[in-house]
Amino acid sequence: VRLRAVRVDLQSNTPVLLLQETEGEGRTLPIFIGTPEAAAIAYAIQGVSMPRPLTHDLIRDIFTSLEVVVERVVITELRSSTYYAELQLRRGGEHSIVSSRPSDAVAVAVRTASPLYVADDLMDAEGILLAIEPGDDEDEDESPDELVGQFREFLDSVRPEDFGG
């Protein structure tokens, strides 16, 4: 899949990650994520550098210093309304898998230029076909300031009560 976009859902005022198939029907897997993770992904996509490393930058830097390669990120399943993901790592000839939230896994993948995958059965069950309007593509017409501005607007409008159970 490819990271199609990080947007704010207007109905729920919640950030949503859109992962779209690169082959086949072009289905999209929408995953609602937290605002900090959405901002971290948006910053990485747009190449915004921070004066001090964000958590996902730190993870990338640790992997680099330990010579760990993120071979791929896989969104694996949906269980009890919660998505699960894993980082598939390699260090030398040794392979390991680390469980992760999808938002954190994608934030790391964007920073390490690692490929993204969604398990076939998950895409079959949860993937949707989105009507794509001209100019709606993340790669087209979206300036870094515009995307970051969307998140700033969201942060300015959110209240602590919005996060209550």
PDB file of all heavy atoms in Angstrom, residues 117-137:
ATOM      1  N   TYR A 117       2.544  -2.370   4.150  1.00  0.00           N
ATOM      2  CA  TYR A 117       1.678  -3.459   3.699  1.00  0.00           C
ATOM      3  C   TYR A 117       0.465  -3.536   4.616  1.00  0.00           C
ATOM      4  O   TYR A 117       0.534  -3.162   5.789  1.00  0.00           O
ATOM      5  CB  TYR A 117       2.410  -4.808   3.752  1.00  0.00           C
ATOM      6  CG  TYR A 117       3.537  -4.923   2.773  1.00  0.00           C
ATOM      7  CD1 TYR A 117       4.818  -4.475   3.086  1.00  0.00           C
ATOM      8  CD2 TYR A 117       3.325  -5.478   1.511  1.00  0.00           C
ATOM      9  CE1 TYR A 117       5.845  -4.575   2.179  1.00  0.00           C
ATOM     10  CE2 TYR A 117       4.353  -5.589   0.594  1.00  0.00           C
ATOM     11  CZ  TYR A 117       5.617  -5.128   0.932  1.00  0.00           C
ATOM     12  OH  TYR A 117       6.633  -5.225   0.026  1.00  0.00           O
ATOM     13  N   VAL A 118      -0.626  -4.040   4.062  1.00  0.00           N
ATOM     14  CA  VAL A 118      -1.816  -4.373   4.847  1.00  0.00           C
ATOM     15  C   VAL A 118      -2.109  -5.838   4.563  1.00  0.00           C
ATOM     16  O   VAL A 118      -2.089  -6.257   3.396  1.00  0.00           O
ATOM     17  CB  VAL A 118      -3.032  -3.499   4.449  1.00  0.00           C
ATOM     18  CG1 VAL A 118      -4.308  -3.991   5.110  1.00  0.00           C
ATOM     19  CG2 VAL A 118      -2.777  -2.040   4.804  1.00  0.00           C
ATOM     20  N   ALA A 119      -2.355  -6.618   5.608  1.00  0.00           N
ATOM     21  CA  ALA A 119      -2.687  -8.036   5.433  1.00  0.00           C
ATOM     22  C   ALA A 119      -3.882  -8.149   4.484  1.00  0.00           C
ATOM     23  O   ALA A 119      -4.841  -7.381   4.578  1.00  0.00           O
ATOM     24  CB  ALA A 119      -3.004  -8.677   6.784  1.00  0.00           C
ATOM     25  N   ASP A 120      -3.819  -9.108   3.559  1.00  0.00           N
ATOM     26  CA  ASP A 120      -4.864  -9.277   2.548  1.00  0.00           C
ATOM     27  C   ASP A 120      -6.246  -9.445   3.167  1.00  0.00           C
ATOM     28  O   ASP A 120      -7.208  -8.819   2.720  1.00  0.00           O
ATOM     29  CB  ASP A 120      -4.554 -10.482   1.643  1.00  0.00           C
ATOM     30  CG  ASP A 120      -3.382 -10.221   0.724  1.00  0.00           C
ATOM     31  OD1 ASP A 120      -3.076  -9.049   0.429  1.00  0.00           O
ATOM     32  OD2 ASP A 120      -2.760 -11.211   0.282  1.00  0.00           O
ATOM     33  N   ASP A 121      -6.356 -10.294   4.198  1.00  0.00           N
ATOM     34  CA  ASP A 121      -7.675 -10.527   4.797  1.00  0.00           C
ATOM     35  C   ASP A 121      -8.218  -9.271   5.475  1.00  0.00           C
ATOM     36  O   ASP A 121      -9.417  -9.024   5.485  1.00  0.00           O
ATOM     37  CB  ASP A 121      -7.658 -11.721   5.752  1.00  0.00           C
ATOM     38  CG  ASP A 121      -6.621 -11.602   6.852  1.00  0.00           C
ATOM     39  OD1 ASP A 121      -5.638 -10.851   6.694  1.00  0.00           O
ATOM     40  OD2 ASP A 121      -6.782 -12.276   7.891  1.00  0.00           O
ATOM     41  N   LEU A 122      -7.330  -8.432   6.001  1.00  0.00           N
ATOM     42  CA  LEU A 122      -7.756  -7.184   6.609  1.00  0.00           C
ATOM     43  C   LEU A 122      -8.255  -6.214   5.533  1.00  0.00           C
ATOM     44  O   LEU A 122      -9.315  -5.592   5.696  1.00  0.00           O
ATOM     45  CB  LEU A 122      -6.605  -6.547   7.399  1.00  0.00           C
ATOM     46  CG  LEU A 122      -6.886  -5.198   8.047  1.00  0.00           C
ATOM     47  CD1 LEU A 122      -8.070  -5.275   9.002  1.00  0.00           C
ATOM     48  CD2 LEU A 122      -5.646  -4.690   8.762  1.00  0.00           C
ATOM     49  N   MET A 123      -7.526  -6.097   4.434  1.00  0.00           N
ATOM     50  CA  MET A 123      -7.958  -5.217   3.348  1.00  0.00           C
ATOM     51  C   MET A 123      -9.272  -5.721   2.758  1.00  0.00           C
ATOM     52  O   MET A 123     -10.160  -4.927   2.437  1.00  0.00           O
ATOM     53  CB  MET A 123      -6.888  -5.101   2.269  1.00  0.00           C
ATOM     54  CG  MET A 123      -7.219  -4.086   1.179  1.00  0.00           C
ATOM     55  SD  MET A 123      -7.412  -2.371   1.746  1.00  0.00           S
ATOM     56  CE  MET A 123      -5.709  -1.825   1.749  1.00  0.00           C
ATOM     57  N   ASP A 124      -9.409  -7.051   2.635  1.00  0.00           N
ATOM     58  CA  ASP A 124     -10.665  -7.614   2.119  1.00  0.00           C
ATOM     59  C   ASP A 124     -11.846  -7.241   3.011  1.00  0.00           C
ATOM     60  O   ASP A 124     -12.932  -6.926   2.536  1.00  0.00           O
ATOM     61  CB  ASP A 124     -10.574  -9.142   1.995  1.00  0.00           C
ATOM     62  CG  ASP A 124      -9.631  -9.594   0.891  1.00  0.00           C
ATOM     63  OD1 ASP A 124      -9.304  -8.779  -0.006  1.00  0.00           O
ATOM     64  OD2 ASP A 124      -9.221 -10.771   0.928  1.00  0.00           O
ATOM     65  N   ALA A 125     -11.629  -7.275   4.326  1.00  0.00           N
ATOM     66  CA  ALA A 125     -12.712  -7.028   5.278  1.00  0.00           C
ATOM     67  C   ALA A 125     -12.987  -5.540   5.498  1.00  0.00           C
ATOM     68  O   ALA A 125     -14.146  -5.146   5.669  1.00  0.00           O
ATOM     69  CB  ALA A 125     -12.387  -7.681   6.622  1.00  0.00           C
ATOM     70  N   GLU A 126     -11.953  -4.716   5.494  1.00  0.00           N
ATOM     71  CA  GLU A 126     -12.108  -3.316   5.909  1.00  0.00           C
ATOM     72  C   GLU A 126     -11.798  -2.288   4.829  1.00  0.00           C
ATOM     73  O   GLU A 126     -12.079  -1.102   5.011  1.00  0.00           O
ATOM     74  CB  GLU A 126     -11.213  -3.030   7.131  1.00  0.00           C
ATOM     75  CG  GLU A 126     -11.504  -3.906   8.331  1.00  0.00           C
ATOM     76  CD  GLU A 126     -12.904  -3.726   8.887  1.00  0.00           C
ATOM     77  OE1 GLU A 126     -13.433  -2.594   8.841  1.00  0.00           O
ATOM     78  OE2 GLU A 126     -13.478  -4.718   9.376  1.00  0.00           O
ATOM     79  N   GLY A 127     -11.206  -2.715   3.712  1.00  0.00           N
ATOM     80  CA  GLY A 127     -10.858  -1.772   2.654  1.00  0.00           C
ATOM     81  C   GLY A 127     -12.089  -1.217   1.969  1.00  0.00           C
ATOM     82  O   GLY A 127     -13.091  -1.914   1.807  1.00  0.00           O
ATOM     83  N   ILE A 128     -12.032   0.048   1.601  1.00  0.00           N
ATOM     84  CA  ILE A 128     -13.149   0.692   0.926  1.00  0.00           C
ATOM     85  C   ILE A 128     -12.648   1.382  -0.341  1.00  0.00           C
ATOM     86  O   ILE A 128     -11.469   1.724  -0.447  1.00  0.00           O
ATOM     87  CB  ILE A 128     -13.853   1.725   1.844  1.00  0.00           C
ATOM     88  CG1 ILE A 128     -12.864   2.800   2.309  1.00  0.00           C
ATOM     89  CG2 ILE A 128     -14.516   1.048   3.019  1.00  0.00           C
ATOM     90  CD1 ILE A 128     -13.499   3.951   3.070  1.00  0.00           C
ATOM     91  N   LEU A 129     -13.544   1.558  -1.282  1.00  0.00           N
ATOM     92  CA  LEU A 129     -13.227   2.319  -2.488  1.00  0.00           C
ATOM     93  C   LEU A 129     -13.637   3.759  -2.238  1.00  0.00           C
ATOM     94  O   LEU A 129     -14.797   4.031  -1.925  1.00  0.00           O
ATOM     95  CB  LEU A 129     -13.955   1.759  -3.705  1.00  0.00           C
ATOM     96  CG  LEU A 129     -13.434   0.414  -4.211  1.00  0.00           C
ATOM     97  CD1 LEU A 129     -14.354  -0.142  -5.295  1.00  0.00           C
ATOM     98  CD2 LEU A 129     -12.013   0.552  -4.734  1.00  0.00           C
ATOM     99  N   LEU A 130     -12.690   4.654  -2.342  1.00  0.00           N
ATOM    100  CA  LEU A 130     -12.981   6.069  -2.135  1.00  0.00           C
ATOM    101  C   LEU A 130     -13.083   6.769  -3.478  1.00  0.00           C
ATOM    102  O   LEU A 130     -12.306   6.501  -4.382  1.00  0.00           O
ATOM    103  CB  LEU A 130     -11.857   6.738  -1.334  1.00  0.00           C
ATOM    104  CG  LEU A 130     -11.711   6.350   0.126  1.00  0.00           C
ATOM    105  CD1 LEU A 130     -10.532   7.082   0.749  1.00  0.00           C
ATOM    106  CD2 LEU A 130     -12.978   6.671   0.903  1.00  0.00           C
ATOM    107  N   ALA A 131     -14.034   7.654  -3.585  1.00  0.00           N
ATOM    108  CA  ALA A 131     -14.127   8.488  -4.782  1.00  0.00           C
ATOM    109  C   ALA A 131     -13.039   9.548  -4.666  1.00  0.00           C
ATOM    110  O   ALA A 131     -13.045  10.349  -3.732  1.00  0.00           O
ATOM    111  CB  ALA A 131     -15.496   9.142  -4.864  1.00  0.00           C
ATOM    112  N   ILE A 132     -12.091   9.498  -5.571  1.00  0.00           N
ATOM    113  CA  ILE A 132     -10.968  10.435  -5.529  1.00  0.00           C
ATOM    114  C   ILE A 132     -11.286  11.622  -6.429  1.00  0.00           C
ATOM    115  O   ILE A 132     -11.570  11.459  -7.603  1.00  0.00           O
ATOM    116  CB  ILE A 132      -9.665   9.755  -5.998  1.00  0.00           C
ATOM    117  CG1 ILE A 132      -9.407   8.497  -5.168  1.00  0.00           C
ATOM    118  CG2 ILE A 132      -8.504  10.725  -5.931  1.00  0.00           C
ATOM    119  CD1 ILE A 132      -9.283   8.729  -3.687  1.00  0.00           C
ATOM    120  N   GLU A 133     -11.247  12.793  -5.838  1.00  0.00           N
ATOM    121  CA  GLU A 133     -11.510  13.999  -6.608  1.00  0.00           C
ATOM    122  C   GLU A 133     -10.183  14.568  -7.086  1.00  0.00           C
ATOM    123  O   GLU A 133      -9.157  14.404  -6.431  1.00  0.00           O
ATOM    124  CB  GLU A 133     -12.226  15.021  -5.725  1.00  0.00           C
ATOM    125  CG  GLU A 133     -13.587  14.536  -5.263  1.00  0.00           C
ATOM    126  CD  GLU A 133     -14.274  15.528  -4.347  1.00  0.00           C
ATOM    127  OE1 GLU A 133     -13.890  16.714  -4.380  1.00  0.00           O
ATOM    128  OE2 GLU A 133     -15.174  15.107  -3.629  1.00  0.00           O
ATOM    129  N   PRO A 134     -10.186  15.257  -8.215  1.00  0.00           N
ATOM    130  CA  PRO A 134      -8.950  15.873  -8.696  1.00  0.00           C
ATOM    131  C   PRO A 134      -8.373  16.783  -7.615  1.00  0.00           C
ATOM    132  O   PRO A 134      -9.098  17.522  -6.960  1.00  0.00           O
ATOM    133  CB  PRO A 134      -9.405  16.685  -9.911  1.00  0.00           C
ATOM    134  CG  PRO A 134     -10.688  16.045 -10.337  1.00  0.00           C
ATOM    135  CD  PRO A 134     -11.328  15.499  -9.094  1.00  0.00           C
ATOM    136  N   GLY A 135      -7.057  16.689  -7.451  1.00  0.00           N
ATOM    137  CA  GLY A 135      -6.386  17.507  -6.447  1.00  0.00           C
ATOM    138  C   GLY A 135      -6.490  16.951  -5.050  1.00  0.00           C
ATOM    139  O   GLY A 135      -5.998  17.553  -4.112  1.00  0.00           O
ATOM    140  N   ASP A 136      -7.122  15.769  -4.893  1.00  0.00           N
ATOM    141  CA  ASP A 136      -7.282  15.175  -3.567  1.00  0.00           C
ATOM    142  C   ASP A 136      -6.107  14.279  -3.207  1.00  0.00           C
ATOM    143  O   ASP A 136      -6.026  13.767  -2.116  1.00  0.00           O
ATOM    144  CB  ASP A 136      -8.588  14.365  -3.521  1.00  0.00           C
ATOM    145  CG  ASP A 136      -9.058  14.124  -2.098  1.00  0.00           C
ATOM    146  OD1 ASP A 136      -8.698  14.925  -1.216  1.00  0.00           O
ATOM    147  OD2 ASP A 136      -9.773  13.132  -1.879  1.00  0.00           O
ATOM    148  N   ASP A 137      -5.202  14.061  -4.130  1.00  0.00           N
ATOM    149  CA  ASP A 137      -4.061  13.189  -3.914  1.00  0.00           C
ATOM    150  C   ASP A 137      -3.030  13.876  -3.020  1.00  0.00           C
ATOM    151  O   ASP A 137      -2.734  15.045  -3.190  1.00  0.00           O
ATOM    152  CB  ASP A 137      -3.423  12.839  -5.266  1.00  0.00           C
ATOM    153  CG  ASP A 137      -2.489  11.661  -5.177  1.00  0.00           C
ATOM    154  OD1 ASP A 137      -1.888  11.454  -4.116  1.00  0.00           O
ATOM    155  OD2 ASP A 137      -2.365  10.949  -6.188  1.00  0.00           O
TER     156      ASP A 137
END
